[in-house]
Amino acid sequence: KVANPDMCDAYEACSILSGNPQTHPDAVASQVQLSCTTTNMQTGAGVRECQEACNPGLCCIGGADGKGEKCNFIEYAEWCDQYAGCNLLHHVDDGGFTSNKNAKDAVDTACSDFSAAGIEACKNVCDPAECCFMLDVDCSDVGMEDIQCDDYTSCGHLYVNDQDPNTSTTIHKGVAGQIDFEDENWMGE
């Protein structure tokens, strides 16, 4: 219970830390989600926009090529979470995807490794497309109306609430319908 509700107004600016592109378009996570989609990255200009949004957090993904030093340690995990979608940069060249097929193939490749590290990489690439797998939310409700959900079908195995019967799963449900990767039984074993 809040003892002094008048004090809450002083913390209103903190609401930018949780939200979506619709409610908090200036939040870092929102900028990354909007910039680092397969739709936006069809062109070189879109790739550069994603790179610009990701620059402050490149260490979270091991640099632009994924081979650099990482700073995504436990103490920085929450800060790095806002840059999850930047991992798509590892699957596109500077000219962009150039076609929907190339974009879909990049997501398919990112989600083809079912090791713990591979699942985490897939989860990061799929971050902007979460709305594609939510039963009670349309992507336009969260400011992601331009996302091409068809490019992200291979992400379906990450979500319990996946609406596509070809990719849905009934494995352990974590927060917001996502798999809880810290649960050692996440594969239903």
Side-chain angles (χ1 to χ4, degrees), residues 20-21 33 36-39 107 123 125-168 176-178:
N20 59 55
Q33 286 180 340
C36 300
T37 64
T38 57
T39 304
V107 176
K123 180 177 146 297
V125 166
C126 296
D127 182 67
E130 181 178 14
C131 62
C132 297
F133 302 95
M134 298 173 75
L135 294 174
D136 57 345
V137 175
D138 186 83
C139 289
S140 61
D141 295 340
V142 294
M144 297 297 292
E145 53 276 337
D146 291 334
I147 197 157
Q148 294 292 323
C149 290
D150 289 345
D151 291 348
Y152 294 91
T153 56
S154 59
C155 302
H157 68 277
L158 298 174
Y159 299 91
V160 174
N161 294 330
D162 178 8
Q163 298 175 32
D164 183 344
N166 298 316
T167 58
S168 64
Q178 289 186 325

Side-chain angles (χ1 to χ4, degrees), residues 14-143:
C14 297
S15 67
I16 197 168
L17 298 174
S18 63
N20 59 55
Q22 180 76 22
T23 60
H24 295 91
D26 294 328
V28 170
S30 295
Q31 292 299 307
V32 169
Q33 286 180 340
L34 290 168
S35 301
C36 300
T37 64
T38 57
T39 304
N40 192 56
M41 294 173 65
Q42 292 284 328
T43 65
V47 172
R48 286 187 297 281
E49 184 180 328
C50 176
Q51 289 169 334
E52 186 176 311
C54 295
N55 272 339
L58 279 181
C59 67
C60 296
I61 63 168
D65 63 1
K67 297 177 180 151
E69 190 171 324
K70 289 193 173 192
C71 65
N72 194 3
F73 305 113
I74 291 173
E75 62 266 25
Y76 303 119
E78 287 185 36
W79 183 79
C80 282
D81 284 349
Q82 63 191 339
Y83 294 101
C86 298
N87 282 276
L88 191 56
L89 287 168
H90 298 162
H91 302 279
V92 65
D93 61 33
D94 290 340
F97 289 117
T98 68
S99 75
N100 285 343
K101 180 184 180 333
N102 290 345
K104 184 179 182 335
D105 288 349
V107 176
D108 291 349
T109 299
C111 293
S112 63
D113 178 358
F114 290 95
S115 69
I119 294 290
E120 185 66 24
C122 176
K123 180 177 146 297
N124 291 335
V125 166
C126 296
D127 182 67
E130 181 178 14
C131 62
C132 297
F133 302 95
M134 298 173 75
L135 294 174
D136 57 345
V137 175
D138 186 83
C139 289
S140 61
D141 295 340
V142 294

